[in-house]
C-alpha cells in the first residue's frame, strides 16, 4: 500500500499522532514514530488495516473540528488523550500499526539490546535449566484418577 | 458438472485427523483421495523468515479466518460468541497453526458422567486409545519427559524442550508452593527426528515453523501417506456430501482450483474438517431424504460446541527472562486438573506456563492492557516489560451444552456461494467459576515467582481455536451423531474423525487426542472391512 492511499491531510495528521504517541527520546537515543524511515514504513504497511486507519483519522479530525495537524500543542495533546481513551477498534488498529513498524526499526531494536534480524535462520540459545528442580515433583504420588480402579 | 472416477475412500480435510486416517488406511491399498480447500504451505513463507514476523500475525497469518481472509479461507460469523474462532486451511490444517503443545486427555475425561455426574461418558476410554496415542507420538515426533505423576505413563521419543530462565522461575515458585509441574509434551523436535531438523529456538512457533522442527501433518503423516499411494488434491472446496437412493453417501460435490464444479464419487466418505467445518458441511448437505442436514436424525449436528475458555494471566519480574526465544509453552501443571468438589465447580484445568513474547506483541498487548502508556513515559515503561514477562494460560474444560453450536448463517456465504457457519456460544457458570479459580491460582504462582503488574485476560481473542463436540460420538443414535468408532448412525458409509466427535472437551490442547481417535477409527475400519456397512 503506498502513501498515496492517504490524503495529504490524513498523512500529516498521522505523522503528528505518531510522534506524540511514541516521541523520540534523547535519554534512550532513539527516534520517535514520526521519524522519516519509521513513518515511511508505517504508511507503506497499512495493508488490510487501511480502512480502520482512515476511520480513526476521520474520528480525530471530527474531534478537532478540522485538521489535527494544525492544532496547537496543548489542544492536540488534550484531544489525542480523549481520542485514545475512546477504546474503539479503529483506535486500537491505529496504535498497532504504529507499534508494529516502530518495534522493527533497526535503531529501536538495537537500543533494546536486540539483534535486528528475523528469528530464522539463526534462532536463539536457550539454557536447559536445572532439571534437579523436578526431584520434588517426582516424589509425589500420582495425581490423575485411574477410572479402572475408581469405577471397578 | 464434471464427474471424476470412483475412489474407495474420500477424505475431506487434510489436517490433524485427515492426515492420520489417510496414512493409517493407506496400508489397505484402497484408492484413497483427500480433498483439501487450502494449499501446501512453503516453510520459506512462514513469518519468522522476515523482519515483519510479528506484523504478519495480524495479516496473512492472523489466526482468525475472517481477518486472514485468504482465498482458501471461508468466513465465520462469530459475532454471537465471546470467544472468536481460530483455524487454518491448508495441507496440515490446524497443525500448521498451533503451539505444538501436546498433552493427552486424561482417563477421567472419558468417564465424566460415571466419575463426576455431569455430561456423558465417551463410548471409548483412554486405555482403548492408549496404543494409538503412542503410535501418534511416534508419527508426530513428541518431545517430553517420562515419569510425570500428573498423567498416565508414556514415553516421549525425544527429550523435553529446555526449561530456560523462564521455566526455572516457574519451577522454583511451584516447588515452594508444593504444586505439581512438569515439562510439557510438545511436537517440537529437540533432536533430529525422522527427517526433521532440531529446534533452534526461533520462537514464534504458532504461525508455522520455518525450521521445520514443529510437527505439522504436511511434514509428518502426509509424505508417508503420499508415498503409500494416497492422492491429495489442494484447492478443492467441498460444497456437499451427496447420497444415493439407499441413503448411503455417494460422494461429494466440490469446486476445484479453477472454480469448476465437480462430482467425486466414493464408496466411503470420511469427514475431517473439525468442529465447525464438519457440521457446516453436514448441514449444507440437506436433501429431501435428510431435510435437517446429513446424519442429523438426532438433531445434534452442530450442537454442543466446546471452545475451551482460556484465561491468561501475565506478570513481570525484575530479571530478564527468555522473552520470545524458544517454544512458547515450556511446562504444565496438573495440580487442579481432577475434580475437587470443594472448589465449587466440577472438572478442572491445566495450567500452561509460557515464555514471553516479541517486541511488537509486547507493546500491542501492553497498550491494550493499559500498562504501557503513550507519550514520553512510553520508553521507560516498555523497558520494564520486554523480556520480563511471565504468562500462565488456564486451559479450562467447558462442558457440552446444546445451545452452544454451529448453524448456517442465513446471509453470509463464502467465495463459492456456500453458506457460511454461524456460531452461538456462551460460557457456562461452572466454567466461569473454574476460570476464576484458575486465575486466582495463576496470580498466586506469579506472585510467588516475584512478579508484579499482574493482569488477567478472561477470554483471549481468537484463542485457542479448539473446535469440539458438534457431531458427538455415542452408542445411542438419538443422543449422538456417530457410533463408538466414528461411523454415522444414519449413513453407514460416512465417517467422522475430527474434533467434532468429542463428547466432552477435557482441559488440554486437543490435537494429540484428535489424532489418536482418528487412528483408532481407521483401525476400527480396517478390522471391519468385510462388514463395514452392516
Amino acid at each position: 500500500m503506498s502513501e498515496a492511499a492517504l490524503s495529504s491531510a490524513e498523512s500529516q495528521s498521522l505523522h503528528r499522532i505518531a510522534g506524540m504517541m511514541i516521541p523520540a527520546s534523547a535519554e534512550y537515543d532513539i527516534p520517535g514514530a514520526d521519524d522519516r524511515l519509521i513513518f515511511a514504513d508505517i504508511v507503506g504497511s497499512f495493508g488490510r488495516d487501511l480502512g480502520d486507519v482512515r476511520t480513526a483519522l476521520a474520528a480525530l479530525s471530527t474531534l478537532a473540528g478540522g485538521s489535527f495537524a494544525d492544532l496547537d500543542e496543548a489542544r492536540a495533546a488534550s484531544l489525542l488523550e480523549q481520542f485514545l481513551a475512546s477504546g474503539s477498534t479503529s483506535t486500537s488498529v491505529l496504535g498497532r500499526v504504529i507499534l508494529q513498524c516502530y518495534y522493527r526499526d533497526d535503531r529501536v531494536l538495537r537500543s533494546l539490546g536486540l539483534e535486528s534480524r528475523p528469528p530464522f535462520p539463526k534462532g536463539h540459545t536457550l539454557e536447559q535449566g536445572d532439571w534437579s528442580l523436578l526431584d520434588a515433583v517426582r516424589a509425589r504420588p500420582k495425581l490423575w484418577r485411574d477410572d479402572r480402579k475408581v469405577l471397578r | 458438472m464434471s464427474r471424476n472416477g470412483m475412489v474407495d475412500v474420500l477424505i475431506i480435510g487434510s489436517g490433524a485427523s485427515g492426515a492420520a486416517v489417510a496414512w493409517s488406511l493407506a496400508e489397505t491399498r484402497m484408492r484413497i483421495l483427500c480433498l483439501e480447500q487450502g494449499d501446501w504451505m512453503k516453510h520459506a513463507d512462514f513469518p519468522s523468515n522476515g523482519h515483519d514476523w510479528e506484523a504478519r500475525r495480524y495479516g496473512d497469518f492472523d489466526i482468525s479466518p475472517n481477518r486472514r481472509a485468504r482465498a482458501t479461507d471461508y468466513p465465520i460469523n462469530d459475532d454471537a460468541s465471546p470467544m472468536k474462532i481460530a483455524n487454518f486451511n491448508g495441507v496440515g490444517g490446524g497443525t500448521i497453526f498451533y503451539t505444538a503443545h501436546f498433552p493427552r486427555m486424561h482417563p477421567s475425561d472419558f468417564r465424566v458422567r460415571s466419575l463426576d455426574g455431569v455430561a456423558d461418558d465417551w463410548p471409548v476410554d483412554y486405555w482403548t486409545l492408549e496404543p494409538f496415542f503412542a503410535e501418534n507420538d511416534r508419527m508426530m515426533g513428541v518431545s517430553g519427559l517420562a515419569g510425570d505423576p500428573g498423567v498416565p505413563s508414556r514415553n516421549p521419543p525425544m527429550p523435553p524442550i529446555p526449561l530456560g530462565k523462564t521455566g526455572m522461575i516457574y519451577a522454583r515458585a511451584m516447588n515452594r508452593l508444593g504444586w505439581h509441574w512438569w515439562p510439557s509434551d510438545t511436537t517440537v523436535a529437540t533432536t533430529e527426528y525422522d527427517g526433521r531438523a532440531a529446534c533452534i529456538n526461533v520462537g514464534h512457533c504458532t504461525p508455522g515453523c520455518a525450521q521445520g522442527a514443529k510437527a505439522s501433518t504436511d511434514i509428518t503423516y502426509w509424505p508417508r501417506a503420499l508415498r503409500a499411494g494416497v492422492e491429495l488434491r489442494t484447492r478443492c472446496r467441498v460444497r456437499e456430501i451427496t447420497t444415493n437412493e439407499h441413503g448411503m453417501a455417494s460422494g461429494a460435490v466440490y469446486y476445484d482450483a479453477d472454480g469448476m464444479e465437480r462430482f467425486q464419487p466414493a464408496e466411503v466418505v470420511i469427514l475431517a474438517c473439525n468442529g465447525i467445518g464438519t457440521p457446516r458441511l453436514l448441514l449444507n448437505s440437506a436433501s429431501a431424504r435428510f431435510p435437517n442436514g446429513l446424519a442429523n436424525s438426532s438433531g445434534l449436528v452442530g450442537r454442543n460446541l466446546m471452545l475451551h475458555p482460556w484465561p491468561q494471566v501475565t506478570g513481570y519480574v525484575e530479571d530478564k527472562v527468555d522473552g520470545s526465544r524458544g517454544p512458547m509453552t515450556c511446562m504444565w501443571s496438573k495440580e487442579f486438573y481432577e475434580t475437587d468438589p470443594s472448589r465449587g465447580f466440577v472438572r478442572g484445568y491445566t495450567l500452561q506456563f509460557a515464555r514471553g513474547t516479541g517486541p511488537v506483541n509486547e507493546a500491542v498487548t501492553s497498550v491494550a492492557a493499559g500498562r504501557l502508556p503513550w507519550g514520553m513515559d512510553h520508553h521507560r515503561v516498555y523497558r520494564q516489560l520486554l523480556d520480563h514477562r511471565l504468562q500462565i494460560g488456564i486451559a479450562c474444560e467447558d462442558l457440552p451444552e446444546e445451545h452452544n453450536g454451529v448453524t448456517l448463517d442465513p446471509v453470509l456465504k463464502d467465495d463459492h456461494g456456500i453458506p457460511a457457519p454461524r456460531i452461538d456460544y456462551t460460557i457456562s457458570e461452572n466454567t466461569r467459576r473454574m476460570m476464576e479459580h484458575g486465575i486466582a491460582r495463576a496470580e498466586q504462582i506469579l506472585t510467588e515467582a516475584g512478579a508484579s503488574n499482574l493482569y488477567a485476560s478472561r477470554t483471549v481473542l481468537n484463542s485457542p481455536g479448539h473446535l469440539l463436540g458438534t457431531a458427538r460420538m455415542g452408542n445411542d443414535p438419538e443422543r449422538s451423531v456417530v457410533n463408538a468408532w466414528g461411523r454415522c448412525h444414519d449413513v453407514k458409509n460416512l465417517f467422522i474423525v475430527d474434533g467434532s466427535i468429542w463428547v466432552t472437551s477435557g482441559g488440554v490442547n486437543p490435537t494429540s487426542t484428535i489424532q489418536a481417535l482418528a487412528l483408532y477409527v481407521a483401525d476400527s475400519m480396517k478390522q471391519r472391512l468385510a462388514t463395514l456397512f452392516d
Side-chain angles (χ1 to χ4, degrees):
Chain A
M1 195 62 63
S2 71
E3 187 169 1
L6 291 185
S7 70
S8 172
E10 287 172 327
S11 186
Q12 286 171 21
S13 291
L14 180 61
H15 186 262
R16 186 164 192 197
I17 292 164
M20 293 173 72
M21 290 169 89
I22 310 182
S25 168
E27 181 184 359
Y28 297 106
D29 190 24
I30 44 175
D34 56 351
D35 168 81
R36 183 177 60 83
L37 291 175
I38 296 172
F39 191 69
D41 189 14
I42 292 170
V43 297
S45 304
F46 291 142
R48 62 196 75 197
D49 293 321
L50 177 63
D52 278 326
V53 169
R54 296 190 85 152
T55 299
L57 293 172
L60 192 57
S61 184
T62 301
L63 265 182
S67 169
F68 180 80
D70 295 337
L71 296 178
D72 66 55
E73 208 163 302
R75 175 87 174 131
S78 165
L79 279 188
L80 184 60
E81 188 176 347
Q82 189 182 337
F83 169 71
L84 293 172
S86 75
S88 69
T89 300
S90 60
T91 308
S92 301
V93 170
L94 180 69
R96 174 173 53 72
V97 164
I98 291 170
L99 290 167
Q100 70 191 26
C101 294
Y102 186 77
Y103 283 108
R104 68 185 180 205
D105 178 80
D106 293 352
R107 296 158 294 173
V108 174
L109 291 176
R110 278 198 300 270
S111 83
L112 293 166
L114 302 174
E115 293 178 86
S116 179
R117 63 171 175 87
F120 184 79
K122 193 174 172 186
H124 300 284
T125 302
L126 201 61
E127 63 185 89
Q128 272 296 320
D130 179 4
W131 290 108
S132 72
L133 288 165
L134 267 179
D135 291 348
V137 189
R138 289 181 197 276
R140 292 188 60 162
K142 75 175 180 63
L143 283 78
W144 56 279
R145 285 184 288 177
D146 190 336
D147 56 322
R148 297 167 302 183
K149 293 178 180 167
V150 177
L151 298 173
R152 191 164 49 191
Chain B
M1 186 190 323
S2 299
R3 181 186 176 95
N4 300 337
M6 174 72 86
V7 296
D8 296 312
V9 179
L10 173 62
I11 301 168
I12 302 171
S14 70
S17 62
V21 80
W23 169 78
S24 179
L25 289 178
E27 69 171 322
T28 64
R29 300 298 175 193
M30 293 189 287
R31 184 173 178 205
I32 302 170
L33 168 67
C34 178
L35 298 179
E36 164 57 49
Q37 65 189 317
D39 294 313
W40 282 97
M41 301 303 295
K42 298 182 183 122
H43 287 213
D45 290 341
F46 287 149
S48 57
N49 287 282
H51 276 280
D52 56 353
W53 56 285
E54 291 190 273
R56 290 180 69 193
R57 281 295 296 272
Y58 302 101
D60 63 336
F61 275 86
D62 198 290
I63 201 165
S64 163
N66 294 335
R67 179 170 171 79
R68 192 172 60 231
R70 291 173 177 238
T72 50
D73 289 316
Y74 57 88
I76 298 174
N77 180 354
D78 55 15
D79 293 346
S81 172
M83 295 183 65
K84 304 307 176 189
I85 301 304
N87 70 6
F88 193 77
N89 298 302
V91 178
T95 63
I96 298 291
F97 218 124
Y98 74 144
T99 61
H101 205 237
F102 220 62
R104 301 175 182 181
M105 293 258 282
H106 287 213
S108 65
D109 292 327
F110 299 89
R111 291 286 174 266
V112 296
R113 166 61 65 179
S114 298
L115 289 169
D116 298 325
V118 292
D120 290 300
D121 288 348
W122 291 50
V124 293
D125 61 19
Y126 178 90
W127 310 105
T128 303
L129 295 180
E130 191 176 41
F132 302 103
F133 276 120
E135 183 171 47
N136 190 54
D137 283 0
R138 287 190 299 274
M139 287 297 293
M140 292 292 280
V142 171
S143 302
L145 186 65
D148 183 355
V151 299
S153 174
R154 78 272 181 274
N155 291 289
M158 284 179 279
I161 56 174
L163 278 178
K165 288 188 176 74
T166 309
M168 283 198 289
I169 289 175
Y170 288 132
R172 291 191 178 105
M174 293 298 276
N175 283 352
R176 286 194 294 272
L177 290 166
W179 288 350
H180 169 267
W181 66 275
W182 202 260
S184 297
D185 286 4
T186 77
T187 53
V188 173
T190 51
T191 61
E192 288 189 14
Y193 188 87
D194 197 23
R196 275 155 60 199
C199 175
I200 54 172
N201 303 306
V202 165
H204 210 59
C205 309
T206 304
C209 177
Q211 168 79 346
K214 183 179 88 170
S216 44
T217 60
D218 58 330
I219 60 171
T220 57
Y221 279 104
W222 274 115
R224 288 171 181 265
L226 295 174
R227 282 197 294 272
V230 177
E231 183 185 354
L232 171 59
R233 290 187 205 143
T234 57
R235 289 277 185 148
C236 294
R237 174 168 287 159
V238 176
R239 187 183 74 202
E240 63 181 285
I241 308 300
T242 55
T243 51
N244 61 22
E245 67 275 20
H246 306 295
M248 300 283 273
S250 55
V253 177
Y254 70 97
Y255 297 96
D256 68 13
D258 298 321
M260 297 295 294
E261 190 178 275
R262 306 186 75 92
F263 174 62
Q264 177 59 60
E267 300 286 355
V268 173
V269 177
I270 300 176
L271 298 186
C273 313
N274 220 2
I276 289 176
T278 285
R280 177 199 185 202
L281 188 48
L282 291 171
L283 294 172
N284 272 321
S285 302
S287 62
R289 185 170 190 140
F290 299 99
N292 297 320
L294 192 56
N296 194 23
S297 64
S298 66
L300 293 176
V301 168
R303 295 183 184 268
N304 296 303
L305 176 67
M306 296 171 283
L307 294 175
H308 276 159
W310 204 280
Q312 291 191 351
V313 186
T314 303
Y316 292 85
V317 290
E318 286 192 10
D319 290 340
K320 280 205 168 189
V321 286
D322 296 326
S324 63
R325 296 171 285 279
M328 183 175 132
T329 305
C330 55
M331 293 164 41
W332 65 38
S333 172
K334 301 293 186 177
E335 188 70 29
F336 306 102
Y337 196 89
E338 302 288 351
T339 294
D340 178 346
S342 70
R343 295 179 193 143
F345 57 87
V346 290
R347 311 298 300 150
Y349 55 86
T350 301
L351 293 169
Q352 296 191 359
F353 298 80
R355 298 182 216 276
T357 189
V360 169
N361 196 49
E362 183 60 70
V364 171
T365 55
S366 290
V367 165
R371 60 181 167 256
L372 177 61
W374 298 110
M376 282 313 296
D377 211 24
H378 179 91
H379 302 296
R380 181 189 66 80
V381 175
Y382 184 75
R383 280 155 178 74
Q384 296 171 347
L385 302 175
L386 181 69
D387 291 347
H388 293 269
R389 177 189 283 224
L390 304 181
Q391 184 167 298
I392 300 175
I394 303 149
C396 294
E397 172 166 5
D398 57 336
L399 292 166
E401 298 178 282
E402 288 192 17
H403 62 86
N404 287 333
V406 180
T407 54
L408 297 179
D409 192 278
V411 177
L412 190 65
K413 292 179 170 54
D414 67 21
D415 291 344
H416 292 92
I418 306 171
R422 170 196 159 98
I423 310 304
D424 286 273
Y425 178 85
T426 57
I427 298 173
S428 74
E429 186 54 37
N430 184 71
T431 306
R432 287 201 179 277
R433 287 196 293 270
M434 188 188 304
M435 291 164 66
E436 294 307 318
H437 187 274
I439 289 168
R441 298 293 87 72
E443 288 174 343
Q444 196 173 344
I445 295 164
L446 291 173
T447 301
E448 185 65 39
S452 57
N453 206 358
L454 305 188
Y455 181 86
S457 302
R458 279 169 171 73
T459 53
V460 180
L461 197 62
N462 296 131
S463 183
H466 302 167
L467 315 172
L468 307 166
T470 49
R472 68 202 318 235
M473 64 192 325
N475 294 318
D476 180 356
E478 293 186 0
R479 296 294 308 148
S480 56
V481 177
V482 300
N483 70 9
W485 41 284
R487 191 180 73 179
C488 290
H489 292 299
D490 299 350
V491 184
K492 293 188 174 176
N493 64 341
L494 178 61
F495 293 77
I496 306 176
V497 293
D498 56 58
S500 62
I501 65 175
W502 285 36
V503 180
T504 55
S505 68
V508 294
N509 311 59
T511 306
S512 171
T513 306
I514 285 174
Q515 292 185 302
L517 271 168
L519 293 175
Y520 159 73
V521 171
D523 189 69
S524 300
M525 293 173 72
K526 287 186 287 189
Q527 303 293 330
R528 295 172 168 88
L529 276 182
T531 58
L532 197 58
F533 308 145
D534 290 351

